[in-house]
């Protein structure tokens, strides 16, 4: 048995040896404080070294005279694949419909097919509306640089575009190298004056501006139709036509129906007085008649020629108009459209010619110039034959217009 300690001696031993728990706590606190101080010093050293690297970094090799970056839809620049072909978002998207069923199909299968058709149209219109919005956003920097209203859907005039057109480069265009559209932002020269924004415009950016403004002007009536009609929108659109439909939301049946109407209007417009047979679609005689009609309406000011030319280019539903309507409405409309075609012709030549254009753009250009019906499948041609006829027609148009000018 160990001897027990007396009271005074026990108190002395307690005072000389502190509790083990308190000692461990103090050691942990000291170690934690030391670790924090070490981390703080390390962070301070790394921050200082980073700052030193930042301040001692060599300047960018890009000089003030080097061209600025190209325009992007997400920031201030958008890069386009070529100078001559607009972005695919400016055209209608593909519409994939389910295949037809056999007459002996069950009612359940027919119902499923109708539901699939409704979903396909809903997806098509959704994609088209998204493309209208994205095209509008991508065109905003260009509109600001050209001095156009940012929120009013006005198309740029030839007087605004022509001084800023891309200079043609045949070697680069024949190789169809990737081209970009250059935008120069406004630069401050002094406190009282700024240098105006300057843009170099190619055919791709020009059509982005033109088509986005065209689609925005039709957004309000088309959105109302979409809300009211719902699943019946395709039928309503077929009845109302292109006047209320953005370009990106036009279904194939709608386009074919409009082409058929324009072919008939063109035949009536090109029908010579006293004749009962119009020129053959796509023939040299038809193109000669078209160019002569343009000359009479633009140079001679013939009122009858103005009405016929408007019907030819799809600017009116008939070639017969009262004299006051021609003078007040159709003459100015036709003149603006002819300026647009002349500008587009020049951009095609500078952008590499017809061979550099995509098949979809060739068809759009042919139809805009009154060549609707050229290479039509109704004439027994299909696929590459239709595209070949359209390219030949457009090349003839450019050559003959260049000779006349």
């Amino acid at each position: 048995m160990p001897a027990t300690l007396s009271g005074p001696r026990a108190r002395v031993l307690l005072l000389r040896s502190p509790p083990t728990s308190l000692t461990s706590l103090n050691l942990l606190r000291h170690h934690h404080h030391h670790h924090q101080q070490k981390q703080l010093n390390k962070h301070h050293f790394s921050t200082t070294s980073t700052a030193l690297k930042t301040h001692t970094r060599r300047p960018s090799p890009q000089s003030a005279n080097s061209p600025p970056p190209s325009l992007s839809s997400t920031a201030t620049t958008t890069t386009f694949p070529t100078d001559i072909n607009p972005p695919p978002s400016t055209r209608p998207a593909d519409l994939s419909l389910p295949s037809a069923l056999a007459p002996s199909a069950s009612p359940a299968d027919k119902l499923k097919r109708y539901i699939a058709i409704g979903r396909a149209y809903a997806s098509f219109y959704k994609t088209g509306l998204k493309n209208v919005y994205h095209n509008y956003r991508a065109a905003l920097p260009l509109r600001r640089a050209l001095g156009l209203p940012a929120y009013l859907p006005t198309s740029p005039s030839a007087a605004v575009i022509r001084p800023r057109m891309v200079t043609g480069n045949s070697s680069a265009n024949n190789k169809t190298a990737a081209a970009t559209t250059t935008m120069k932002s406004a630069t401050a020269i002094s406190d009282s004056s700024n240098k105006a924004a300057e843009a170099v415009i190619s055919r791709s950016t020009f059509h982005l501006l033109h088509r986005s403004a065209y689609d925005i002007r039709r957004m309000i009536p088309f959105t109302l139709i979409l809300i009211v009609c719902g699943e019946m929108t395709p039928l309503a659109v077929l009845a109302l036509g292109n006047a209320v439909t953005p370009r990106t939301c036009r279904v194939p049946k709608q386009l074919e129906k409009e082409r058929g109407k324009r072919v008939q209007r063109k035949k009536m417009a090109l029908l010579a007085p006293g004749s009962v047979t119009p020129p053959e679609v796509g023939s040299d005689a038809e193109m000669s008649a078209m160019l002569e009609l343009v000359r009479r309406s633009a140079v001679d000011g013939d009122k009858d020629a103005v009405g016929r030319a408007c019907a030819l280019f799809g600017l009116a539903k008939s070639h017969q108009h009262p004299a006051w309507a021609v003078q007040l409405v159709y003459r100015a409309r036709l003149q603006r459209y002819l300026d647009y075609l002349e500008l587009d012709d020049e951009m095609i030549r500078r952008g590499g010619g017809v061979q550099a254009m995509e098949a979809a753009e060739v068809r759009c250009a042919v139809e805009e110039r009154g060549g609707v019906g050229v290479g039509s499948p109704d004439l027994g041609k299909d696929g590459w034959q239709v595209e070949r006829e359209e390219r030949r027609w457009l090349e003839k148009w450019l050559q003959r217009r260049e000779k006349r000018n």
Side-chain angles (χ1 to χ4, degrees), residues 153-167:
T154 56
S155 299
S157 62
V160 174
I161 297 296
R162 195 175 297 278
R164 299 173 173 85
M165 288 173 57
V166 171
T167 303

Side-chain angles (χ1 to χ4, degrees), residues 352-396:
V354 180
Q355 64 272 15
M357 299 175 65
E358 299 174 354
E361 284 301 317
V362 171
R363 166 162 286 195
C364 291
V366 168
E367 292 180 353
E368 286 179 343
R369 287 155 178 79
V372 58
V374 174
S376 174
D378 298 336
L379 302 177
K381 299 178 181 179
D382 192 13
W384 65 271
Q385 294 179 338
V386 175
E387 180 182 347
R388 183 184 61 183
E389 292 297 323
E390 291 173 344
R391 289 185 182 274
R392 288 178 178 176
W393 191 95
L394 185 57
E395 288 174 352
K396 289 181 183 178

Side-chain angles (χ1 to χ4, degrees), residues 219-279:
M219 277 297 296
I220 294 178
F222 180 75
T223 304
L224 292 176
I225 293 173
L226 194 62
I227 293 173
V228 173
C229 298
E231 293 81 359
M232 305 300 292
T233 298
L235 300 178
V237 165
L238 288 176
L240 296 175
N242 295 342
V244 296
T245 312
R247 187 188 299 266
T248 60
C249 297
R250 293 175 182 174
V251 297
K253 285 186 177 180
Q254 179 181 353
L255 296 176
E256 290 300 327
K257 182 179 179 181
E258 185 63 24
R259 288 190 185 104
K261 290 182 178 180
R262 285 195 58 185
V263 168
Q264 296 301 320
R265 294 170 192 161
K266 180 175 71 170
K267 289 180 179 181
M268 296 302 296
L270 295 179
L271 192 63
S275 176
V276 294
T277 305

